[in-house]
């Protein structure tokens, strides 16, 4: 994202993340109005998603999957989107707290607002789950996400594999996610586990690594173009933190005739990203099963709504370090999968995207070759 950012569906346990374009939430930001789901008569659960501008996953995948999973657990979900506005995020949270939600699930624009909202909710006896993004310095009792350091390792491994036969000192540019998003920090840390030894040995040369505020794809493309120009248009590989940033990078590469010649990483297995992989413009993406993430959050919320802390703790058997708060957060951490061209079919077979979404005019030949239909 966070990438900056960045996307659904049924997946065998242990596949991947992602994003697919969808319409924006029409809710205005006032209180908890339950306009996004019909009442199921169960305990109220509030869900606040971060935005739609940089990643379509939130509305296209997380929202419907969370709604379905929470209702399956007998809960009454109210799912809203803050549209990247921290004030709106706080206002939505206030409305849900006042409406008496038993559990609040939050994926926040930044850790500061997330920590503030969690503190306010917990003061009213409401359990809080950090969803997808850990709010550093916060107090949420639980965290549900993917193992984001390992996601970064997959990106780093993808780049290492792509440049295995490259000459010594191959030029690499890194376009990372928002510095305010802890996930982006973890993605970078994972990438470094694989790539830093290659930089240190001189096998690869890091031209520049730049984090992009707000996972802003347009800004990411501009920054990449500036770095590329200052390096005399010399680049052999680009680590892009998600598919949105990868797309912006590829647009720049097309201007100088380097698309398809320079491997680019990504993340989220979005339709656009998968199309780019099929065309050969993007080397890989990371598939994260958002359905698994939504279902894990729903099961955790169901246990907490019943006051079953022991059951919640059994589900959140992992832990994540919050260095800012100097604490360990009980966590559900899911697995992801590296997707190169030869593995795109597995994302379709898992039901995450439809063949029609990725098999378009300039990718149809690749789809036919790979048996995607």
């Amino acid at each position: 994202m966070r990438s900056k950012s960045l996307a659904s569906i049924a997946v065998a346990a242990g596949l991947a993340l992602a994003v697919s374009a969808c319409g924006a939430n029409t809710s205005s930001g006032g209180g908890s109005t339950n306009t996004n789901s019909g009442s199921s008569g169960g305990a109220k659960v509030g869900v606040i998603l971060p935005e739609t501008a940089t990643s379509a996953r939130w509305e296209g995948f997380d929202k419907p999957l969370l709604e379905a999973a929470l209702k399956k657990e007998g809960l009454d979900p109210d799912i809203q989107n803050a549209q990247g506005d921290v004030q709106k995020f706080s206002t939505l949270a206030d409305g849900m707290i006042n409406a008496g939600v038993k559990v609040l699930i939050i994926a926040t624009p930044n850790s500061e607002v997330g920590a503030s909202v969690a503190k306010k909710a917990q003061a009213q006896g409401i359990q809080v789950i950090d969803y997808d993004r850990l709010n550093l310095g916060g107090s949420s009792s639980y965290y549900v996400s993917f193992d984001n350091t390992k996601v970064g390792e997959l990106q780093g491994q993808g780049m290492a594999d792509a440049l295995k036969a490259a000459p010594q000192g191959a030029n690499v540019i890194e376009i990372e996610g928002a510095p305010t998003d802890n996930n982006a920090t973890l993605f970078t840390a994972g990438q470094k586990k694989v790539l830093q030894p290659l930089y240190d040995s001189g096998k690869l040369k890091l031209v520049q690594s730049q984090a992009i505020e707000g996972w802003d794809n347009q800004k990411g493309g501009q920054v990449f173009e500036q770095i590329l120009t200052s390096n005399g248009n010399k680049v052999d590989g680009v680590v892009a933190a998600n598919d949105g940033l990868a797309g912006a990078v590829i647009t720049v590469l097309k201007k100088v005739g380097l698309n398809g010649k320079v491997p680019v990483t990504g993340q989220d297995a979005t339709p656009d990203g998968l199309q780019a992989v099929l065309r050969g413009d993007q080397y890989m993406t990371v598939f994260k099963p958002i359905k698994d993430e939504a279902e894990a959050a729903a099961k955790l919320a169901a246990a907490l709504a019943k006051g079953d802390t022991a059951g919640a703790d059994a589900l959140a058997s992992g832990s994540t370090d919050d260095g800012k708060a100097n604490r360990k957060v009980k966590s559900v951490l899911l697995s992801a999968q590296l997707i190169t061209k030869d593995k795109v079919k597995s994302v379709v077979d898992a039901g995450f995207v439809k063949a029609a979404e990725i098999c378009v005019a300039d990718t149809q030949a690749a789809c036919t070759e790979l048996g995607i239909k």
Side-chain angles (χ1 to χ4, degrees), residues 125-141:
I126 298 169
Q127 292 275 11
V128 183
I129 300 170
D130 283 349
Y131 179 80
D132 200 71
R133 301 169 173 179
L134 179 66
N135 293 302
L136 294 177
S139 56
S140 298
S141 300

mmCIF file of all heavy atoms in Angstrom, residues 125-141:
data_model
loop_
_atom_site.group_PDB
_atom_site.id
_atom_site.type_symbol
_atom_site.label_atom_id
_atom_site.label_comp_id
_atom_site.label_asym_id
_atom_site.label_seq_id
_atom_site.Cartn_x
_atom_site.Cartn_y
_atom_site.Cartn_z
ATOM 1 N N GLY A 125 -15.022 0.198 26.497
ATOM 2 C CA GLY A 125 -15.130 -1.250 26.615
ATOM 3 C C GLY A 125 -15.253 -1.975 25.298
ATOM 4 O O GLY A 125 -15.699 -3.134 25.256
ATOM 5 N N ILE A 126 -14.873 -1.321 24.205
ATOM 6 C CA ILE A 126 -14.981 -1.922 22.867
ATOM 7 C C ILE A 126 -13.649 -2.547 22.470
ATOM 8 O O ILE A 126 -12.595 -1.906 22.546
ATOM 9 C CB ILE A 126 -15.394 -0.854 21.835
ATOM 10 C CG1 ILE A 126 -16.777 -0.283 22.187
ATOM 11 C CG2 ILE A 126 -15.391 -1.435 20.419
ATOM 12 C CD1 ILE A 126 -17.138 0.958 21.392
ATOM 13 N N GLN A 127 -13.678 -3.798 22.055
ATOM 14 C CA GLN A 127 -12.473 -4.475 21.586
ATOM 15 C C GLN A 127 -12.099 -3.969 20.197
ATOM 16 O O GLN A 127 -12.974 -3.744 19.355
ATOM 17 C CB GLN A 127 -12.695 -5.989 21.530
ATOM 18 C CG GLN A 127 -12.869 -6.633 22.893
ATOM 19 C CD GLN A 127 -11.537 -6.965 23.537
ATOM 20 O OE1 GLN A 127 -10.473 -6.542 23.067
ATOM 21 N NE2 GLN A 127 -11.575 -7.742 24.607
ATOM 22 N N VAL A 128 -10.798 -3.795 19.958
ATOM 23 C CA VAL A 128 -10.327 -3.246 18.683
ATOM 24 C C VAL A 128 -9.359 -4.214 18.010
ATOM 25 O O VAL A 128 -8.442 -4.742 18.648
ATOM 26 C CB VAL A 128 -9.636 -1.882 18.881
ATOM 27 C CG1 VAL A 128 -9.218 -1.294 17.529
ATOM 28 C CG2 VAL A 128 -10.573 -0.910 19.605
ATOM 29 N N ILE A 129 -9.585 -4.430 16.720
ATOM 30 C CA ILE A 129 -8.705 -5.272 15.904
ATOM 31 C C ILE A 129 -8.068 -4.407 14.827
ATOM 32 O O ILE A 129 -8.767 -3.758 14.044
ATOM 33 C CB ILE A 129 -9.504 -6.412 15.221
ATOM 34 C CG1 ILE A 129 -10.186 -7.306 16.264
ATOM 35 C CG2 ILE A 129 -8.593 -7.231 14.310
ATOM 36 C CD1 ILE A 129 -11.186 -8.286 15.655
ATOM 37 N N ASP A 130 -6.754 -4.364 14.783
ATOM 38 C CA ASP A 130 -6.056 -3.725 13.663
ATOM 39 C C ASP A 130 -6.133 -4.686 12.482
ATOM 40 O O ASP A 130 -5.690 -5.842 12.580
ATOM 41 C CB ASP A 130 -4.590 -3.451 14.011
ATOM 42 C CG ASP A 130 -4.414 -2.246 14.913
ATOM 43 O OD1 ASP A 130 -5.387 -1.499 15.118
ATOM 44 O OD2 ASP A 130 -3.289 -2.051 15.437
ATOM 45 N N TYR A 131 -6.660 -4.203 11.370
ATOM 46 C CA TYR A 131 -6.858 -5.047 10.194
ATOM 47 C C TYR A 131 -5.887 -4.652 9.092
ATOM 48 O O TYR A 131 -5.851 -3.491 8.666
ATOM 49 C CB TYR A 131 -8.308 -4.909 9.700
ATOM 50 C CG TYR A 131 -8.648 -5.714 8.468
ATOM 51 C CD1 TYR A 131 -8.925 -7.075 8.555
ATOM 52 C CD2 TYR A 131 -8.698 -5.115 7.211
ATOM 53 C CE1 TYR A 131 -9.255 -7.810 7.427
ATOM 54 C CE2 TYR A 131 -9.025 -5.836 6.075
ATOM 55 C CZ TYR A 131 -9.305 -7.193 6.182
ATOM 56 O OH TYR A 131 -9.622 -7.933 5.062
ATOM 57 N N ASP A 132 -5.092 -5.586 8.654
ATOM 58 C CA ASP A 132 -4.131 -5.436 7.568
ATOM 59 C C ASP A 132 -2.931 -4.567 7.936
ATOM 60 O O ASP A 132 -1.815 -4.865 7.557
ATOM 61 C CB ASP A 132 -4.782 -4.902 6.295
ATOM 62 C CG ASP A 132 -3.936 -5.190 5.069
ATOM 63 O OD1 ASP A 132 -3.861 -6.368 4.681
ATOM 64 O OD2 ASP A 132 -3.323 -4.258 4.525
ATOM 65 N N ARG A 133 -3.167 -3.465 8.689
ATOM 66 C CA ARG A 133 -2.091 -2.552 9.058
ATOM 67 C C ARG A 133 -2.007 -2.421 10.571
ATOM 68 O O ARG A 133 -3.004 -2.094 11.217
ATOM 69 C CB ARG A 133 -2.346 -1.166 8.451
ATOM 70 C CG ARG A 133 -2.463 -1.164 6.938
ATOM 71 C CD ARG A 133 -2.970 0.173 6.441
ATOM 72 N NE ARG A 133 -2.929 0.254 4.975
ATOM 73 C CZ ARG A 133 -3.331 1.307 4.280
ATOM 74 N NH1 ARG A 133 -3.803 2.370 4.909
ATOM 75 N NH2 ARG A 133 -3.260 1.305 2.959
ATOM 76 N N LEU A 134 -0.836 -2.660 11.121
ATOM 77 C CA LEU A 134 -0.637 -2.479 12.560
ATOM 78 C C LEU A 134 -0.436 -0.997 12.856
ATOM 79 O O LEU A 134 0.368 -0.324 12.216
ATOM 80 C CB LEU A 134 0.590 -3.259 13.022
ATOM 81 C CG LEU A 134 0.926 -3.144 14.506
ATOM 82 C CD1 LEU A 134 -0.163 -3.796 15.353
ATOM 83 C CD2 LEU A 134 2.280 -3.778 14.794
ATOM 84 N N ASN A 135 -1.174 -0.493 13.839
ATOM 85 C CA ASN A 135 -1.032 0.899 14.239
ATOM 86 C C ASN A 135 0.058 1.023 15.295
ATOM 87 O O ASN A 135 -0.162 0.734 16.477
ATOM 88 C CB ASN A 135 -2.366 1.430 14.775
ATOM 89 C CG ASN A 135 -3.403 1.518 13.679
ATOM 90 O OD1 ASN A 135 -3.205 2.189 12.679
ATOM 91 N ND2 ASN A 135 -4.509 0.808 13.844
ATOM 92 N N LEU A 136 1.233 1.420 14.862
ATOM 93 C CA LEU A 136 2.368 1.527 15.767
ATOM 94 C C LEU A 136 2.079 2.524 16.880
ATOM 95 O O LEU A 136 1.549 3.609 16.639
ATOM 96 C CB LEU A 136 3.621 1.957 14.997
ATOM 97 C CG LEU A 136 4.150 0.957 13.972
ATOM 98 C CD1 LEU A 136 5.339 1.551 13.229
ATOM 99 C CD2 LEU A 136 4.542 -0.355 14.642
ATOM 100 N N GLY A 137 2.442 2.138 18.101
ATOM 101 C CA GLY A 137 2.207 3.007 19.241
ATOM 102 C C GLY A 137 0.779 2.950 19.743
ATOM 103 O O GLY A 137 0.404 3.699 20.645
ATOM 104 N N GLY A 138 -0.020 2.057 19.165
ATOM 105 C CA GLY A 138 -1.421 1.952 19.545
ATOM 106 C C GLY A 138 -1.642 0.957 20.666
ATOM 107 O O GLY A 138 -0.700 0.454 21.286
ATOM 108 N N SER A 139 -2.925 0.638 20.883
ATOM 109 C CA SER A 139 -3.272 -0.252 21.989
ATOM 110 C C SER A 139 -4.241 -1.348 21.594
ATOM 111 O O SER A 139 -4.782 -2.044 22.452
ATOM 112 C CB SER A 139 -3.887 0.574 23.131
ATOM 113 O OG SER A 139 -5.015 1.312 22.669
ATOM 114 N N SER A 140 -4.486 -1.510 20.286
ATOM 115 C CA SER A 140 -5.405 -2.559 19.842
ATOM 116 C C SER A 140 -4.939 -3.914 20.370
ATOM 117 O O SER A 140 -3.739 -4.205 20.394
ATOM 118 C CB SER A 140 -5.470 -2.594 18.312
ATOM 119 O OG SER A 140 -5.968 -1.362 17.803
ATOM 120 N N SER A 141 -5.898 -4.727 20.776
ATOM 121 C CA SER A 141 -5.554 -6.010 21.399
ATOM 122 C C SER A 141 -5.117 -7.061 20.387
ATOM 123 O O SER A 141 -4.364 -7.977 20.724
ATOM 124 C CB SER A 141 -6.750 -6.530 22.199
ATOM 125 O OG SER A 141 -7.111 -5.614 23.200
#
